[in-house]
Amino acid sequence: MAFAFVYRRLTDLFLILTLVVSSAALAVSPARAQAEPDFYDDQPYAPGQWNIGRQLNQSEFRYCVDPRDPSWQVDGEIADAIAQALLLEPKRYVVPSEYVIEDLTKVYAILLEDCDVYMGFKLIPDGYPDWVTLTRPYEQVGYEYVTAKPDLKALADLPAGRPVAGTVGTTATIRLSTYVMALPIEKRWPVFPFGTDALALSSLLDGTADIAVVWGPSFWDKQQHDPAYAALHIIDSKPLPATTLGVGGLLLKQNAFLRTQVDQAIAALVADGTIKAIVDKYKYPATVTP
């Protein structure tokens, strides 16, 4: 999945169209300096990448988490559990806040030097380039319809013409917009695009919108840390079906063996209830299924 702030991590559409990140099982080790080849559009690039050697310490499970992602602590504990299941020492790399996730060169450089697995990416079907691979999902997370209106129980209860806020480019907002455009004009809701979940949620506080469609963890995080959002509540998405995505880790495609090991560890941790216990500990809005 976080992907997040944009993460479970970038908005879904931006992730599909522009995310060109990869996670390499590489770290700094002595390597012979050599000229960097020409950059090709179909592969990532970071300055000095050709001077980075292979990881020498095979007893570590190196993973990245990003504090701007509302689920980063949950992802970190799950990664620690994966390491334990693989009998490896967990080595966490917390992405510095000054990094901008959309800066692909910086993201690739972090992954190349500091991570084997980047935790928290939305598993969007056909949403990644061929040289990237993702683990199986360790949780399922949904988009939520949120409102400050106590009388609203579902999207269907909203009168026509009343505004809905949607984070631009996300799977749920695209689905909603497509549905609205298929309705007769007199039955439509105007869907206003917002750049982030935070902005979409704030539109409920100032009355700009009656409903906001956001990534569930973003709303969960707001209610955890800001009393202003305490009165907001989640409503049913009907007449639309719920929109959920699996969340997992991202690696380079060449790391197929590591991905297989991580997948097996996730399956075991799901089966024995470890991951569900972590999710429940944080009261995190995710489901864990085999």
Side-chain angles (χ1 to χ4, degrees):
M1 357 109 74
F3 329 170
F5 174 71
V6 186
Y7 228 10
R8 219 267 92 276
R9 135 164 22 239
L10 297 171
T11 59
D12 295 350
L13 184 60
F14 292 156
L15 183 60
I16 294 171
L17 298 179
T18 68
L19 179 60
V20 188
V21 302
S22 80
S23 167
L26 304 174
V28 177
S29 65
R32 180 170 55 88
Q34 52 186 294
E36 296 178 356
D38 292 338
F39 170 65
Y40 295 94
D41 290 339
D42 60 349
Q43 67 182 33
Y45 173 80
Q49 69 181 50
W50 306 108
N51 296 324
I52 300 175
R54 289 190 176 277
Q55 176 186 351
L56 296 180
N57 188 347
Q58 299 297 324
S59 67
E60 294 179 341
F61 179 69
R62 304 180 309 145
Y63 66 90
C64 289
V65 289
D66 191 324
R68 293 165 298 172
D69 184 347
S71 66
W72 75 278
Q73 291 176 302
V74 177
D75 295 330
E77 286 207 26
I78 291 173
D80 290 341
I82 291 171
Q84 184 176 7
L86 296 175
L87 302 180
L88 299 174
E89 178 186 352
K91 185 176 181 181
R92 178 180 300 190
Y93 181 77
V94 179
V95 177
S97 60
E98 66 267 19
Y99 280 95
V100 179
I101 197 69
E102 293 86 352
D103 189 327
L104 305 182
T105 299
K106 290 181 179 178
V107 170
Y108 179 60
I110 293 171
L111 295 171
L112 189 65
E113 297 186 42
D114 300 295
C115 303
D116 295 314
V117 181
Y118 203 138
M119 301 293 289
F121 275 82
K122 296 172 183 173
L123 306 187
I124 301 171
D126 301 319
Y128 295 88
D130 290 340
W131 43 264
V132 167
T133 188
L134 295 105
T135 69
R136 59 160 287 169
Y138 47 76
E139 62 193 17
Q140 296 287 331
V141 183
Y143 288 89
E144 303 291 0
Y145 285 68
V146 181
T147 185
K149 306 290 185 182
D151 56 326
L152 291 181
K153 306 301 181 184
L155 173 64
D157 297 334
L158 186 67
R162 297 303 303 168
V164 178
T167 306
V168 65
T170 64
T171 303
T173 299
I174 292 171
R175 173 177 281 182
L176 172 63
S177 298
T178 301
Y179 173 79
V180 168
M181 291 302 295
L183 293 173
I185 294 178
E186 66 275 10
K187 294 185 178 181
R188 294 178 183 176
W189 307 288
V191 180
F192 297 142
F194 287 80
T196 65
D197 288 338
L199 291 173
L201 287 168
S202 67
S203 73
L204 301 177
L205 301 183
D206 62 22
T208 301
D210 289 353
I211 294 175
V213 185
V214 298
W215 183 238
S218 297
F219 177 53
W220 167 81
D221 186 59
K222 284 291 188 184
Q223 287 203 313
Q224 295 283 314
H225 299 102
D226 192 337
Y229 293 87
L232 302 185
H233 66 280
I234 294 172
I235 62 174
D236 201 306
S237 63
K238 291 180 181 178
L240 290 172
T243 301
T244 60
L245 289 171
V247 174
L250 182 139
L251 314 83
L252 273 185
K253 188 175 183 178
Q254 68 195 46
N255 292 332
F257 178 72
L258 176 60
R259 188 207 64 220
T260 299
Q261 289 184 306
V262 172
D263 283 351
Q264 292 173 350
I266 291 172
L269 295 169
V270 168
D272 70 10
T274 298
I275 293 180
K276 186 178 186 304
I278 294 171
V279 168
D280 291 346
K281 170 185 172 181
Y282 287 91
K283 299 181 179 179
Y284 182 66
T287 57
V288 181
T289 56

